């Protein structure tokens, strides 16, 4: 198809497609004439991925290249491809102290997440949040965090188990796209559901208008 | 204390304090002279709350009034005070379709959150996310959502159980402030931990370099 059709089918403007071509984020089409190239399904798939990375994952343009390189390099495993994507999603510019970084490592250790890479940006992100919690006078109590970590672990394990391995070697664009949606949109879904559950449980706990018998479903 | 000391102690500028006074978000100090007023602990507490609402909760200035009114009106229960805060945190300007709204209600029903108010903004927020999931070709499957909803329910129940009821009637500013931090910062903490857990579980599942025996801790 022509570039104009590609734009229409992918929902990405011609100007942006040309930018992606220049930056090597999209492979060139096959030349039909001096001034025209032909694009196919691979280009549609790649643009779908780039759109999700930009719009859903809010990945900065500068970080797209790492992910695309990992997607294009078929000698890299799915695991390595996901690693590049995790990093782009978790990248944070804030500096964290050594103390908070140590605490973050202890949290990961206590949770039993032995396969987290020691240099993953997600660890710095966690360290930053632990520092905010200290600042607001609510430091994380590592001794009492076990229940919480177990629940988070169960959620994440469940989510990863739902990633279908079926087409893992078929379309690498689609696999990464699925992962970003899982990470970001399901993350928002999780927070939204949690908010509703809070409303329910705080009504049970704090609404003096409810008969006390109703609070039998309350936690612990 | 003088307004300049109040600014220093609360970390809020004098200009902003004057704005809060004009808008009725902060009660006036006691008059010492024609041009000077005296401020106390109540003002520090209120400014602490306003700061958390603005900086942590990203609550628009226009929505602060509802929360402050509920905090100030001591005839309102903690439950009602939380309701006003939940609403400000969940407010969304996007229109949602009746179909998505119905689906959102069904999700809440299936989760057993019977005390969610039918008109809560959090329900519209969920409806909006369900619509995004449909758009990206990953609609929520209500039949299979039970496990996920149970886990979210356990997390929220646990978090609400940690809200100390001790000082509920002591300082209403502090109680709401605590709730916002719980909602927002612990929400970010949850996502950050989940990201690390994903990294661990996806390594177990997809890293072909790991011995297969290691995947005994894998989910389901």
């Amino acid at each position: 198809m022509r570039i104009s059709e590609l734009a229409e089918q992918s929902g990405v403007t011609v100007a942006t497609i040309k930018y992606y071509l220049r930056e090597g984020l999209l492979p060139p089409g096959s030349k039909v004439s001096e001034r025209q190239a032909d694009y196919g399904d691979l280009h549609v798939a790649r643009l779908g991925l780039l759109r999700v990375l930009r719009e859903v994952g809010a990945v900065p343009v500068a970080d797209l290249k790492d992910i695309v390189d990992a997607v294009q390099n078929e000698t890299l495993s799915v695991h390595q491809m996901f690693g590049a994507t995790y990093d782009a999603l978790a990248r944070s510019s804030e500096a964290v102290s050594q103390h908070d970084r140590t605490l973050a490592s202890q949290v990961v250790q206590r949770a039993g997440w032995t396969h987290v890479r020691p240099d993953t940006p997600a660890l710095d992100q966690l360290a930053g949040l632990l520092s905010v919690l200290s600042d607001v006078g609510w430091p994380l109590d590592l001794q009492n965090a076990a229940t919480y970590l177990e629940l988070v672990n169960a959620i994440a394990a469940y989510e990863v188990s739902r990633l279908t391995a079926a087409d893992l070697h078929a379309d690498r664009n689609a696999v990464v796209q699925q992962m970003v949606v899982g990470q970001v949109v399901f993350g928002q879904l999780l927070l939204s559901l949690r908010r509703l559950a809070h409303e329910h449980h705080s009504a049970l706990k704090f609404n003096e208008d409810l008969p006390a018998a109703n609070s039998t479903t309350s936690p612990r």
Side-chain angles (χ1 to χ4, degrees), chain A:
Chain A
M1 70 189 90
R2 288 152 171 261
I3 196 167
S4 57
E5 291 169 81
L6 180 61
E8 194 161 320
Q9 201 171 322
S10 63
V12 177
T13 63
V14 170
T16 302
I17 292 176
K18 286 185 175 167
Y19 172 80
Y20 288 159
L21 286 167
R22 274 199 307 277
E23 297 293 318
L25 296 167
L26 192 67
S30 46
K31 279 223 159 162
V32 176
S33 72
E34 194 54 47
R35 303 196 47 198
Q36 201 183 314
D38 188 49
Y39 301 94
D41 289 346
L42 170 67
H43 297 91
V44 175
R46 174 65 51 78
L47 287 172
L49 169 61
L50 289 168
R51 226 184 127 179
V52 164
L53 288 171
R54 294 285 298 136
E55 295 175 13
V56 178
V59 172
V61 174
D63 288 340
L64 292 175
K65 188 80 177 122
D66 287 346
I67 300 176
V68 165
D69 284 348
V71 169
Q72 282 181 166
N73 181 350
E74 301 204 351
T75 66
L76 293 185
S77 68
V78 170
H79 176 62
Q80 289 166 307
M81 195 164 78
F82 278 6
T85 312
Y86 278 127
D87 289 354
L89 290 174
R91 201 103 59 194
S92 148
S93 54
E94 285 175 46
V96 293
S97 72
Q98 192 52 49
H99 170 266
D100 290 323
R101 220 177 178 294
T102 305
L103 187 55
S105 297
Q106 286 169 345
V107 169
V108 168
Q109 200 178 350
R110 173 159 273 257
W113 298 326
T114 48
H115 292 294
V116 166
R117 296 160 298 158
D119 61 344
T120 183
L123 212 48
D124 278 353
Q125 198 188 41
L126 174 59
L129 283 169
L130 294 176
S131 140
V132 170
L133 284 174
S134 292
D135 288 351
V136 298
W138 221 356
L140 189 75
D141 177 1
L142 200 57
Q143 301 308 316
N144 290 317
T147 310
Y148 198 73
L149 292 175
E150 273 166 35
L151 288 170
V152 176
N153 183 59
I155 289 221
Y158 178 77
E159 288 174 329
V160 170
S161 78
R162 300 297 296 272
L163 271 181
T164 49
D167 49 2
L168 277 191
H169 295 281
D171 180 352
R172 294 165 65 96
N173 291 291
V175 172
V176 173
Q177 185 169 333
Q178 198 186 17
M179 189 205 115
V180 174
V181 172
Q183 186 77 40
V184 179
V185 184
F186 275 87
Q188 291 167 350
L189 180 71
L190 175 59
L191 290 189
S192 173
L193 292 170
R194 168 178 169 270
R195 189 161 277 168
L196 288 160
H198 277 167
E199 186 165 327
H200 171 73
H201 288 289
S202 96
L204 286 178
K205 183 166 179 173
F206 300 119
N207 190 355
E208 291 124 22
D209 298 338
L210 289 177
N214 264 3
S215 48
T216 46
T217 51
S218 98
R220 269 189 208 259

